[in-house]
Amino acid sequence: MDKKDIANIRKQFKINNDLLTINEIFNVYIMKESSEIYHHQSMPFEMLEEEQKELFMDNFKKVLSGQLDEKLFELKFQRDVENNSQLILHQGLLSNDTEEWKGQMLHLVAKMLKDKQYEMDIVVTFIRGEYMKSMKRQSEESEESDRDTVYSHPFILCSMNKTLDPKKELLFDYVEKEFKYNIVVDPIINLKAPISGFLFPSITDNAADVNHVLYSAGKKNELNYHFIEEVLNAEEIMTAAEDKIVFEEIVKNVAGDQKINTSTLSNVYEEIHRVVEENEEEDVPKLDYKDVEKVLRSSGIEDVNPEKVESAFKTVIDDESYEFKANNIVPKYTSKSIKIETKIANISISPQDLRFVRQVHFDGKSYLMMEVEENTVIEGFEMIPEALFKKVEGDNE
């Protein structure tokens, strides 16, 4: 799935939408002390009160919110795994019997509880439904409505939410005219911040892909590997942050003792950005070791060849065939995404402006120097340019 596919289904989660049908909602309450199911309940979604529907709709949209490779990850199911969740989900999706559907979802919950202790009570919510996407009209003259022909996408969505202790509050009783301590023992289900979830199947270019599942992490770049590997039985995945770290280590490995200045680093980012722009039609432009070799060589790093870069891939990630997603390893090019942190100041600049920054040594000290086109204004005061070098007295030249 790409961001457009995700956005298409996320925007459907609103009540009274004729393009979305949620057949059933199934809630499972898990106790933290025993890691056992305390209660579960299934009902048609339409039987919920309007306020409840709104709460859940917002919760489902949050599951599908976030950037790809940071909070949302399209995972491929592992092959030849016993008790495979791909089969469990597929059977649940195809089942016409509510009890059978509940049984399959409880099967998944059992996998969530195996060898796992939660820090708080958990509510796991499953929905089974269908959303439809209108096909584009063939021509302006066509009299056919855009609702006459649609793509149909059956799906299962899961949302995991923690519980919160009820607030202790002091209330005023208008009738009795007295202050009362509000005693509430029922835990609050925090639907505003799901801690995990998934959408099955993955949907790409209006086609269902049952070999992939869209996993949602609770926080950016913080993956629940137990959930990914043991519950979903999916293959390992690299976050965008991990991708960037690995790329940086490969560059350092290839450069060796060479010092990489800001101009060279700027060239690296510019070359990768050019690759992204040249492959706009490709959903996810990727770089293998041959592409990385071309980028580094074009950026001015010396003594670069395919064999050396391939060896660096093997050393750093133990996979010379690994491919980086280009967008993961270059900071956002048009925003101030590069952070320069020093003891006295933090500066944010865009990758394309990195070439105007230099670290220089003068008179035994290190300085951060930035090229600017106008005088600097600090707190409303325009700074007077100062000469960096002073003429030595007695010098006749």
Side-chain angles (χ1 to χ4, degrees):
M1 299 183 74
D2 60 22
K3 59 183 180 181
K4 291 182 179 179
D5 295 317
I6 297 170
N8 281 334
I9 185 170
R10 183 176 59 239
K11 69 182 182 181
Q12 303 303 329
F13 282 93
K14 51 191 176 184
I15 59 175
N16 302 322
N17 176 17
D18 61 345
L19 291 177
L20 176 73
T21 301
I22 300 177
N23 300 315
E24 295 152 305
I25 183 168
F26 184 35
N27 291 304
V28 183
Y29 196 99
I30 299 169
M31 300 291 290
K32 64 179 180 181
E33 293 88 355
S34 60
S35 291
E36 294 179 350
I37 296 174
Y38 179 74
H39 177 68
H40 61 77
Q41 179 181 358
S42 173
M43 67 173 62
F45 190 78
E46 287 302 316
M47 287 186 63
L48 296 178
E49 297 178 1
E50 291 298 299
E51 292 79 5
Q52 289 180 308
K53 290 180 184 178
E54 289 281 6
L55 286 172
F56 277 113
M57 286 294 191
D58 288 341
N59 178 256
F60 301 149
K61 283 191 286 189
K62 289 182 184 296
V63 171
L64 298 173
S65 297
Q67 296 294 319
L68 278 168
D69 298 323
E70 291 184 355
K71 192 171 178 296
L72 299 174
F73 301 84
E74 187 177 49
L75 307 178
K76 185 178 181 180
F77 287 109
Q78 300 177 41
R79 296 294 185 184
D80 303 321
V81 176
E82 293 184 5
N83 193 25
N84 195 316
S85 291
Q86 180 184 12
L87 181 59
I88 295 172
L89 287 166
H90 200 206
Q91 290 175 338
L93 188 68
L94 298 178
S95 175
N96 293 320
D97 182 75
T98 298
E99 291 303 315
E100 182 180 351
W101 135 260
K102 289 169 52 179
Q104 299 291 359
M105 297 307 100
L106 289 173
H107 199 167
L108 277 178
V109 173
K111 297 178 71 170
M112 295 178 189
L113 300 178
K114 184 178 180 182
D115 303 323
K116 177 68 175 179
Q117 181 72 45
Y118 292 99
E119 298 178 354
M120 69 291 288
D121 290 358
I122 298 293
V123 174
V124 185
T125 300
F126 298 96
I127 57 170
R128 183 170 57 157
E130 178 182 21
Y131 92 94
M132 290 164 284
K133 183 181 177 184
S134 302
M135 295 183 184
K136 294 181 179 179
R137 294 185 180 183
Q138 297 297 318
S139 64
E140 293 294 332
E141 293 77 18
S142 175
E143 297 180 358
E144 184 180 9
S145 168
D146 62 352
R147 297 295 180 91
D148 290 342
T149 309
V150 296
Y151 295 105
S152 174
H153 299 298
F155 67 89
I156 291 174
L157 185 141
C158 168
S159 175
M160 294 182 66
N161 303 278
K162 64 182 180 180
T163 59
L164 304 174
D165 293 330
K167 293 181 180 180
K168 298 177 181 179
E169 298 174 324
L170 188 66
L171 304 180
F172 179 72
D173 189 326
Y174 276 101
V175 178
E176 301 294 333
K177 296 184 179 180
E178 63 179 357
F179 294 97
K180 292 183 178 180
Y181 179 64
N182 184 34
I183 302 176
V184 179
V185 296
D186 296 332
I188 300 170
I189 302 171
N190 185 15
L191 293 177
K192 295 181 179 180
I195 61 174
S196 193
F198 65 83
L199 173 73
F200 174 85
S202 178
I203 299 168
T204 303
D205 294 332
N206 301 311
D209 179 2
V210 296
N211 294 316
H212 289 83
V213 59
L214 184 70
Y215 162 73
S216 174
K219 295 182 179 180
K220 186 171 68 174
N221 291 316
E222 293 185 15
L223 305 187
N224 184 337
Y225 290 100
H226 172 268
F227 193 86
I228 291 172
E229 297 173 18
E230 302 300 327
V231 178
L232 293 178
N233 302 132
E235 295 181 354
E236 290 185 20
I237 192 73
M238 293 272 281
T239 66
E242 291 170 335
D243 240 6
K244 190 172 186 297
I245 291 172
V246 170
F247 176 75
E248 291 169 356
E249 290 301 315
I250 286 175
V251 173
K252 293 175 185 177
N253 186 289
V254 173
D257 296 331
Q258 297 180 58
K259 298 297 183 181
I260 299 178
N261 56 32
T262 54
S263 179
T264 302
L265 186 57
S266 176
N267 290 338
V268 170
Y269 290 150
E270 186 176 340
E271 285 295 317
I272 297 173
H273 181 66
R274 182 180 56 79
V275 171
V276 173
E277 287 190 322
E278 290 179 351
N279 296 273
E280 282 186 347
E281 295 181 0
E282 188 178 344
D283 290 337
V284 185
K286 295 182 179 180
L287 302 173
D288 60 15
Y289 78 89
K290 294 180 182 178
D291 298 315
V292 172
E293 182 267 335
K294 293 176 183 177
V295 166
L296 299 185
R297 181 160 40 82
S298 301
S299 301
I301 297 178
E302 299 177 356
D303 192 26
V304 178
N305 56 63
E307 293 75 21
K308 193 171 184 179
V309 178
E310 183 180 12
S311 176
F313 269 65
K314 183 68 174 176
T315 301
V316 175
I317 199 174
D318 195 26
D319 183 4
E320 61 272 25
S321 63
Y322 186 77
E323 293 182 321
F324 291 104
K325 293 180 180 179
N327 287 322
N328 287 354
I329 59 178
V330 62
K332 293 181 180 179
Y333 207 72
T334 56
S335 64
K336 295 181 179 181
S337 55
I338 294 180
K339 312 299 180 184
I340 302 175
E341 298 181 356
T342 69
K343 186 176 181 179
I344 62 171
N346 296 330
I347 302 170
S348 298
I349 61 173
S350 66
Q352 57 190 339
D353 292 332
L354 185 59
R355 64 179 65 255
F356 300 116
V357 180
R358 296 284 188 277
Q359 178 171 300
V360 298
H361 293 280
F362 174 66
D363 200 18
K365 296 181 179 180
S366 295
Y367 295 86
L368 190 66
M369 183 172 67
M370 292 188 294
E371 178 185 338
V372 295
E373 296 180 352
E374 66 284 325
N375 288 344
T376 304
V377 177
I378 301 177
E379 294 293 330
F381 296 95
E382 185 172 331
M383 297 295 100
I384 300 174
E386 301 178 41
L388 182 60
F389 301 101
K390 295 181 179 179
K391 185 176 181 180
V392 179
E393 291 185 9
D395 193 340
N396 294 325
E397 295 184 4

